[in-house]
Amino acid sequence: MTEPTNEIPKQYNPTAAQEKWAKFWEEHNFFRSQPNSNKKPFCVVIPPPNVTGALHLGHALNNTLQDMTIRMKRMQGFETLWIPGVDHAGIATQAVVERRLFLDEKLTRHDIGRDALVQRIWNWKEQFQTRIISQLKGMGCSCDWNRTRFTLDEMCAKAVRYFFFKLFEQKLIYRGKRLVNWDTHLQTAVSDDEVCHETVAGNFWYIKYPVVQPKPNEPEYVVVATTRPETMLGDTAVAVHPDPETALNKVIGDLKKRLAAAPEKEKIDLQKELDEAENRLRSSDNGNSVLDQLKTLSRMATQNRTVMLPLANRPIPLIADVWAKPEKGTGCVKITPAHDPNDYEVGKRQELPMINILNKNGTLNENAGKYAGLTIKQAREQIVTDLEEQGLLVSVEERIIELAHSDRSKTPIEPFLNDQWFVKMDDLAQNAIDAVHNGEVKIIPERYKKGYTDWLSEKRDWPIGRQLWWGHRIPIWYCYGATEKELAQAFAGRKDISWQWNSENNVWWICSQTEDLSEDAVSGYTIIQEEDVLDTWFSSALWPHSTLGWPDQTPELDYYYPTGVLITNRDILTLWVARMVLAGKFNTGKIPFHEVFIHPKILDKYGEGMSKSKGNGIDPISVIAKFGADALRFALAFLTTESQDIRLTLDFECPYCGAVVEQTKKNRTEPKIICPKCGVPFRTQWAETESDQMLTEGPMIGERFEVARNFCNKLWNAARFVLLSLQEPPQTQTQHLKTDQLSSPFEVSFLEDRWILSRLATVTKNVTECLETYRYADAMRFLYDFAWDEFCSFYVEMVKFRLANETQRQQAQTVLIHVLNVLLRLLHPVVPFVTEEIWQRLRLLDSGNNSRNNYAESISIAAWPVADELAIDVEIERQFKVFQELLRAIREVRASRNVPPKTEITFAVRCDAATATLLKPMEPYFLSMAKAKATGWGETLTIPVLFSTVPLAGMDVYVDLSDLIDVPAEIAKLEKEIAKLDGFIKSKTLKLESDFVQKAPPTVVEKERQSLAGLLEQRQSAIDAVKKLKTV
RNA sequence: GGGCGAUUAGCUCAGUUGGUUAGAGCGUCUGGUUUACACCCAGAAGGUCGGCGGUUCGAACCCGUCAUCGCCCACCA
């Protein structure tokens, strides 16, 4: 399957390699996993992507990191299992399908009914699950595809049932009338976490409520303020503070304190607030202060007085409640318990009636009297008009308000009184907090711990019901009228059925752990199943154990659970991660994973997160098509630092003329773009119509991907060089090459061998350490620098000289191939395809050799390199730096003096004997790498007549320039150098004359002294050189 | 209102426990048909590390403060 080595293309072809090796991996089942008692397990569960749509680069990042970790662990000898899957994403998916239904066919879900809608969503799910899985495969993810799960499949459904049943039995599930966040568009309750606040322009209406039979000295009206006048139809009280004077004085006192302590910029606002509060103490024209009025009202409230609710013409009580803040608004507040969370609390406290004025679709119901049937918006307008007509509208203010919106439908949320199922969070949440506090679950980076524990500490009960059709139906049946005895009889001997009496609604709740109950399960009665489905997170919370077979004690659950690490993004740390911990603990008694790594977010060039609705989400497949999967992965991993989000600037490339078309907020959602240069239209990922899809797609390009692609190509070419230079493969067993094997035959002249092996060992250590601690960017940097700068730019260049030498070839080849071999394995987790492609070529070559079997069948199952600690040699690395420094100095002289590349130059180096011994054997390298011939080393030298000097620490280089020299320019250059050195020398001298000498650690002082001495030496050399040049 | 993060070269970002002259890639400039690679090679220019104070012999790093930007959470009529 691999062509002969002499046919290695000059450019790496990612597409061919991806196809070939993805197929190869799959056919050989390298990523399939079974419990194996001979190995330690390492399991990762994928954060299941929503089936709402295709994956974007955010997912690509998430899955690249997981794959890197899992591939490394696999190579380290763990029995690794990466479980793939997708999430049904209840609200989100139903919403997109419903929207599609309406756009395409002008139908609502009610038109087609529950079964038909669910069927359509299943079709949608099939389509996108297929797409998502193929995207993951395209990226090279090494999941065990045979274990692909879906949060709505049978396995997950069983776990959901058991979880629910267990909670129910332990009385942790309850149902009650609660004020919920109602999405009038999707007609379902949503949790607080699915609500986002948006700033919108609104109004503040001041409305008069007439006092019923006012007595003398009592006000005729109570004025209240509201941003939602239509809710007044549901008012059941007007509240005033029971002791407005004390409350107001306290507020004033607090404000004064805060004002005194506040920073300047906040003082203005605080002062304003204070003034306003203090004003309420002062008398107005009629001799009454606001406070006086509130005191009157407060007294009236204790006398059970009422006010007349306008429009509804219904008397409502004036009540005293601390919720009414005397410093806010008018000091009086209307109470609408059924449509405001705070009022709801007041209503419960004060035992007020709760009047629901809304239908589930957001129109007003019969309780709204003549306004029934209007939408909220219509009702609001009408009510304001009516109030105005009746002279009850005092004033209207314009105001910016924070309005709750549904995350899914982007429509305003209405607080709505509805029956709702909840899970009591008390102990469950505490267990999840403890798991993180005591280190059982480690969150990385640590700063995310706070958000996690803070959220859980609130212990807010979890509303789990959704009025949707797409999801796990709540396994509860209602039974009215039966006696407990009858139930016990109906379900005699069944442990999988549990029931509870709900006195609020006089109904039995029957929960079934396994099967759906039929209507006649209780003889003589008809039982009805709950219509609602469960919150999506209820099933995703079980993901780590449900995918392994829980509640059954499967070998998988026993072996792989708890999983190794969960890699995800920060948005779902609470919604998902926290709930997995609590559910895992509750169901299995164990945490679901030992570590949680929170990775950065991918942002576009405007700093916005990627999302489908914005249109800035890029399909990883389009990046892969242009740059290759390895480049995509490498680029993303390279950017995964601990602190920063990843900003990616991406633009379109015209597929015809190659022009770069900037991606803008405007064109990023267009299905096609007309190239401004050549005028030809190309399609984007949003192309839908047939005619648009016919066009050629303009790929997305980005600098970071180019860099990564270039790196892959560099690696490819390094391998190409190695392969082409191996006409005679070495006999040594390359994979088991150890320093002790090298030390005897290797002489000082092969400094570069020891150097590269030392560097290789260090890099192996660093990369392993970084990957094991999720420092992906650091790992990539080590690999990039080592591969490009050290291996390619130095080692390969140097070794060329020896490869040409019959007697030295063998050893050079051995080291060369060994380093490449290790490097490939270190790189494999991030760039699996190119490394496999090269690996297989090396393998082929090796199999022709007697030693063979040095190469695993696939690099994906080859052993992870272990750093050869013995090879690490700090002294060699230091010496090599001297060589590099000298080489660079000579090259710089050449470049800056415009010496023609083919012209050979000569140079001499003044240095001590040790340095001379070190560098003399490197002479061939100066010749091959800088076309410079050494004429002398040591303390005493014959210095050429016309020369350029570069003073370095501990040595001076004299490059013979003969007729190439420009003496005045040479002198100017040296003088500039001297001035620079003078600066450093001065600052160092001062430093060494200061307290520094006494207070700094002796080693640091000594270092500084040496540094100064070196600088002085360099300066002297430069001065001498100038003197000599001036005599020429 | 509370919390978290960021601010370093034209751009995107590194910078380990404070310790010589702050690094990389891209871009820019100079030179290159060096038999692995122009998706390349050699070299250069470019930064008062957001501002101000403090601690220290010594601060990009620690402390305080201000400024700007981003994200998350929060029931205010």
Side-chain angles (χ1 to χ4, degrees):
Chain A
M1 70 167 67
T2 304
E3 62 269 39
T5 48
N6 57 5
E7 286 173 29
I8 307 168
K10 286 191 173 192
Q11 273 190 9
Y12 168 58
N13 177 352
T15 315
Q18 280 155 210
E19 258 173 50
K20 184 169 32 170
W21 302 118
K23 201 173 148 219
F24 174 75
W25 293 331
E26 190 146 1
E27 279 170 358
H28 287 74
N29 295 327
F30 293 131
F31 310 143
R32 298 276 294 272
S33 182
Q34 288 295 334
N36 175 349
S37 55
N38 296 323
K39 284 176 158 190
K40 278 191 189 166
F42 187 87
C43 179
V44 169
V45 290
I46 197 172
N50 292 346
V51 288
T52 43
L55 305 184
H56 55 66
L57 290 181
H59 300 102
L61 170 70
N62 176 253
N63 290 296
T64 295
L65 301 183
Q66 289 175 81
D67 196 39
M68 286 173 66
T69 293
I70 210 92
R71 279 183 186 268
M72 176 183 67
K73 293 283 178 183
R74 185 178 296 119
M75 293 172 77
Q76 284 177 333
F78 289 88
E79 180 59 45
T80 47
L81 170 60
W82 183 11
I83 303 179
V86 288
D87 194 307
H88 69 282
I91 294 182
T93 313
Q94 183 168 329
V96 293
V97 174
E98 276 192 64
R99 206 171 77 203
R100 213 35 192 268
L101 183 67
F102 192 76
L103 284 175
D104 296 349
E105 301 168 51
K106 295 275 173 281
L107 292 172
T108 71
R109 68 168 137 150
H110 303 290
D111 295 329
I112 67 169
R114 186 163 190 155
D115 291 344
L117 184 84
V118 168
Q119 187 51 51
R120 281 177 189 249
I121 306 176
W122 271 103
N123 294 344
W124 178 278
K125 173 258 169 186
E126 290 304 335
Q127 186 190 337
F128 279 95
Q129 173 165 342
T130 308
R131 172 113 181 254
I132 287 166
I133 299 293
S134 84
Q135 284 177 306
L136 291 173
K137 285 185 178 173
M139 282 165 28
C141 293
S142 60
C143 303
D144 184 347
W145 303 108
N146 281 62
R147 295 184 187 270
T148 304
R149 298 254 66 88
F150 174 48
T151 52
L152 221 51
D153 66 19
E154 274 173 41
M155 203 162 159
C156 293
K158 185 173 179 185
V160 163
R161 278 288 188 92
Y162 273 72
F163 180 38
F164 190 95
F165 187 81
K166 197 171 170 195
L167 288 167
F168 184 81
E169 274 200 309
Q170 298 192 13
K171 304 250 182 336
L172 292 173
I173 284 196
Y174 65 92
R175 179 177 157 97
K177 271 210 186 313
R178 287 301 126 93
L179 205 60
V180 295
N181 303 303
W182 191 259
D183 181 326
T184 56
H185 183 255
L186 297 168
Q187 298 190 31
T188 177
V190 297
S191 76
D192 290 346
D193 310 299
E194 292 160 319
V195 170
C196 56
H197 295 269
E198 280 170 39
T199 311
V200 294
N203 289 301
F204 209 41
W205 285 273
Y206 287 85
I207 305 166
K208 288 186 199 172
Y209 286 14
V211 173
V212 175
Q213 296 173 347
K215 294 176 186 164
N217 297 326
E218 285 183 358
E220 284 180 43
Y221 298 100
V222 177
V223 180
V224 294
T226 182
T227 54
R228 299 191 302 155
E230 70 283 0
T231 63
M232 66 183 288
L233 299 169
D235 283 2
T236 52
V238 169
V240 63
H241 197 281
D243 183 1
E245 186 159 20
T246 312
L248 191 58
N249 282 327
K250 184 170 183 306
V251 166
I252 289 170
D254 287 350
L255 277 171
K256 280 183 175 162
K257 263 188 229 160
R258 276 175 61 199
L259 188 61
E264 277 313 312
K265 59 169 183 176
E266 284 170 27
K267 281 196 173 164
I268 299 170
D269 286 343
L270 278 174
Q271 187 64 54
K272 223 164 125 189
E273 228 176 289
L274 181 60
D275 290 349
E276 226 161 83
E278 283 183 327
N279 267 337
R280 302 198 166 193
L281 299 172
R282 287 192 201 102
S283 306
S284 62
D285 348 333
N286 59 15
N288 268 337
S289 69
V290 174
L291 179 61
D292 292 336
Q293 290 169 24
L294 292 176
K295 281 158 82 175
T296 308
L297 289 168
S298 185
R299 196 189 65 238
M300 289 162 68
T302 60
Q303 299 163 354
N304 299 324
R305 300 286 299 279
T306 56
V307 296
M308 187 56 76
L309 181 64
L311 308 182
N313 286 322
R314 172 155 62 74
I316 54 173
L318 186 60
I319 59 165
D321 192 283
V322 290
W323 165 242
K325 310 287 181 204
E327 74 279 10
K328 291 251 164 93
T330 61
C332 299
V333 59
K334 63 196 266 311
I335 303 296
T336 324
H339 296 287
D340 182 280
N342 294 301
D343 294 1
Y344 177 73
E345 293 302 318
V346 176
K348 278 205 296 191
R349 224 172 15 241
Q350 304 277 351
E351 294 177 355
L352 297 170
M354 304 197 177
I355 301 175
N356 177 13
I357 58 160
L358 284 179
N359 290 314
K360 292 188 173 178
N361 63 6
T363 58
L364 273 64
N365 67 15
E366 67 282 359
N367 290 332
K370 72 169 205 174
Y371 304 98
L374 298 181
T375 65
I376 291 164
K377 197 173 161 229
Q378 290 164 340
R380 179 175 298 176
E381 282 164 15
Q382 191 58 49
I383 280 169
V384 170
T385 311
D386 291 350
L387 285 172
E388 207 165 5
E389 262 172 29
Q390 296 183 22
L392 295 172
L393 189 67
V394 182
S395 59
V396 187
E397 278 174 21
E398 290 195 355
R399 191 177 239 236
I400 302 295
I401 49 175
E402 289 277 302
L403 191 59
H405 283 72
S406 165
D407 219 14
R408 291 302 167 198
S409 67
K410 304 294 170 197
T411 53
I413 286 290
E414 296 299 329
F416 185 79
L417 200 58
N418 199 32
D419 283 320
Q420 182 69 278
W421 289 98
F422 290 89
V423 175
K424 279 199 191 107
M425 290 298 278
D426 239 358
D427 292 344
L428 292 173
Q430 192 55 51
N431 289 340
I433 294 172
D434 293 345
V436 165
H437 271 313
N438 66 26
E440 268 188 286
V441 176
K442 196 175 155 204
I443 296 179
I444 305 159
E446 222 185 294
R447 73 184 119 97
Y448 292 111
K449 251 170 89 169
K450 190 171 159 48
Y452 172 97
T453 46
D454 284 358
W455 184 83
L456 280 170
S457 305
E458 290 181 27
K459 297 185 177 175
R460 276 188 298 193
D461 287 350
W462 177 11
I464 49 169
R466 294 292 182 277
Q467 291 66 42
L468 298 171
W469 293 343
W470 177 241
H472 294 281
R473 201 152 159 189
I474 293 178
I476 288 277
W477 282 259
Y478 297 100
C479 178
Y480 292 91
T483 62
E484 174 141 37
K485 210 173 164 186
E486 285 168 316
L487 290 179
Q489 204 165 17
F491 302 116
R494 291 190 59 172
K495 286 196 174 138
D496 61 336
I497 306 281
S498 176
W499 55 84
Q500 285 168 29
W501 174 250
N502 173 244
S503 54
E504 208 177 309
N505 295 301
N506 292 320
V507 64
W508 286 104
W509 294 334
I510 304 169
C511 184
S512 166
Q513 187 181 38
T514 48
E515 53 166 22
D516 284 352
L517 302 177
S518 61
E519 282 187 358
D520 55 3
V522 181
S523 69
Y525 302 91
T526 302
I527 64 171
I528 305 156
Q529 187 176 6
E530 166 64 58
E531 288 285 317
D532 292 358
V533 301
L534 289 161
D535 178 15
T536 297
W537 300 110
F538 194 90
S539 52
S540 10
L542 313 181
W543 192 243
H545 57 282
S546 67
T547 50
L548 290 169
W550 186 90
D552 298 328
Q553 270 306 317
T554 58
E556 280 85 355
L557 188 65
D558 190 47
Y559 182 70
Y560 295 110
Y561 191 88
T563 65
V565 63
L566 181 88
I567 298 178
T568 187
N569 71 59
R570 73 177 98 91
D571 297 348
I572 48 178
L573 180 65
T574 52
L575 298 175
W576 189 45
V577 179
R579 282 171 182 156
M580 277 193 286
V581 177
L582 68 86
K585 275 265 182 186
F586 181 74
N587 284 339
T588 71
K590 292 185 204 159
I591 48 150
F593 26 71
H594 296 107
E595 292 182 325
V596 178
F597 176 65
I598 304 288
H599 61 69
K601 224 174 164 158
I602 303 261
L603 307 176
D604 67 8
K605 73 174 96 174
Y606 303 105
E608 296 176 14
M610 292 200 166
S611 76
K612 260 159 242 132
S613 51
K614 274 188 216 143
N616 58 353
I618 305 296
D619 186 341
I621 297 300
S622 71
V623 176
I624 290 171
K626 173 76 187 172
F627 298 100
D630 291 329
L632 169 72
R633 296 166 60 110
F634 190 88
L636 293 173
F638 210 172
L639 290 165
T640 302
T641 58
E642 266 213 353
S643 57
Q644 301 244 47
D645 282 338
I646 299 170
R647 192 177 285 218
L648 277 179
T649 298
L650 290 164
D651 295 299
F652 298 102
E653 185 185 65
C654 172
Y656 307 105
C657 69
V660 176
V661 184
E662 195 192 341
Q663 189 199 35
T664 61
K665 286 189 183 185
K666 209 177 147 200
N667 71 16
R668 70 189 181 189
T669 49
E670 300 287 329
K672 72 172 170 195
I673 290 169
I674 294 167
C675 173
K677 197 176 156 204
C678 66
V680 183
F682 59 86
R683 79 177 159 96
T684 71
Q685 59 172 328
W686 307 115
E688 273 187 12
T689 66
E690 219 170 287
S691 64
D692 286 347
Q693 289 198 335
M694 295 284 283
L695 301 168
T696 309
E697 182 164 348
M700 298 305 300
I701 53 169
E703 185 225 312
R704 312 307 302 240
F705 296 126
E706 276 174 36
V707 169
R709 178 203 52 193
N710 295 354
F711 176 72
C712 293
N713 196 55
K714 185 74 179 174
L715 181 70
W716 174 253
N717 274 289
R720 183 169 185 263
F721 172 81
V722 173
L723 288 162
L724 292 175
S725 68
L726 289 179
Q727 298 101 344
E728 288 173 54
Q731 301 300 312
T732 318
Q733 296 230 347
T734 57
Q735 251 193 310
H736 305 105
L737 192 66
K738 287 271 197 273
T739 323
D740 53 358
Q741 288 177 286
L742 297 178
S743 53
S744 61
F746 279 53
E747 293 164 19
V748 181
S749 59
F750 302 132
L751 176 83
E752 68 272 21
D753 286 349
R754 299 215 191 159
W755 169 74
I756 197 73
L757 291 169
S758 172
R759 294 295 309 137
L760 181 69
T762 306
V763 166
T764 300
K765 208 168 112 183
N766 291 340
V767 169
T768 308
E769 233 171 67
C770 287
L771 288 180
E772 281 175 343
T773 52
Y774 314 104
R775 281 154 48 221
Y776 296 97
D778 291 343
M780 294 308 103
R781 184 163 295 283
F782 281 124
L783 286 165
Y784 186 94
D785 291 347
F786 175 77
W788 201 303
D789 298 336
E790 301 187 315
F791 185 58
C792 291
S793 295
F794 275 92
Y795 190 73
V796 168
E797 287 308 319
M798 293 173 82
V799 100
K800 279 177 182 173
F801 167 77
R802 283 157 64 205
L803 289 174
N805 181 319
E806 202 64 39
T807 56
Q808 296 183 340
R809 180 182 301 150
Q810 181 98 354
Q811 190 155 331
Q813 287 178 337
T814 305
V815 178
L816 192 57
I817 202 166
H818 169 73
V819 176
L820 179 64
N821 177 305
V822 174
L823 178 60
L824 286 175
R825 284 182 281 148
L826 290 173
L827 278 165
H828 180 254
V830 63
V831 285
F833 293 107
V834 66
T835 48
E836 183 77 279
E837 175 74 31
I838 298 168
W839 182 266
Q840 295 296 341
R841 288 167 187 270
L842 287 171
R843 183 165 184 262
L844 195 69
L845 196 76
D846 187 64
S847 68
N849 189 358
N850 297 336
S851 54
R852 45 196 318 152
N853 296 332
N854 283 326
Y855 289 82
E857 191 180 5
S858 162
I859 191 171
S860 66
I861 53 165
W864 184 252
V866 176
D868 180 2
E869 301 272 352
L870 286 175
I872 298 176
D873 189 331
V874 186
E875 181 58 15
I876 292 280
E877 293 194 23
R878 196 193 60 76
Q879 289 179 345
F880 202 81
K881 279 211 179 86
V882 177
F883 162 71
Q884 287 176 310
E885 203 183 351
L886 183 53
L887 187 73
R888 166 187 285 267
I890 295 168
R891 284 170 164 176
E892 203 270 328
V893 170
R894 293 192 66 116
S896 60
R897 274 69 165 189
N898 292 319
V899 179
K902 286 186 174 164
T903 306
E904 187 177 298
I905 55 171
T906 58
F907 69 99
V909 178
R910 187 201 54 71
C911 58
D912 59 30
T915 312
T917 315
L918 173 77
L919 292 173
K920 197 158 184 330
M922 312 293 271
E923 281 181 358
Y925 304 134
F926 289 105
L927 197 57
S928 67
M929 296 172 80
K931 238 180 174 28
K933 193 174 163 66
T935 56
W937 307 86
E939 295 288 0
T940 52
L941 295 169
T942 320
I943 294 167
V945 182
L946 292 166
F947 61 95
S948 176
T949 304
V950 186
L952 300 170
M955 56 187 170
D956 299 314
V957 195
Y958 302 95
V959 180
D960 190 346
L961 292 174
S962 55
D963 52 331
L964 291 160
I965 198 166
D966 173 350
V967 175
E970 212 62 45
I971 292 171
K973 204 170 168 88
L974 281 164
E975 275 170 349
K976 202 173 149 200
E977 180 69 20
I978 293 166
K980 200 169 134 197
L981 288 166
D982 279 341
F984 298 145
I985 288 164
K986 194 177 164 194
S987 77
K988 271 188 202 300
T989 310
L990 285 174
K991 193 174 184 182
L992 283 163
E993 282 165 2
S994 70
D995 288 355
F996 170 72
V997 184
Q998 279 82 47
K999 304 209 171 162
T1003 51
V1004 175
V1005 176
E1006 186 47 37
K1007 234 174 156 184
E1008 281 297 280
R1009 286 219 166 96
Q1010 279 176 14
S1011 162
L1012 179 61
L1015 288 170
L1016 285 167
E1017 216 177 277
Q1018 282 182 46
R1019 192 182 79 155
Q1020 194 52 50
S1021 301
I1023 289 169
D1024 291 348
V1026 169
K1027 265 189 210 156
K1028 276 186 194 155
L1029 282 169
K1030 279 185 175 164
T1031 64
V1032 176

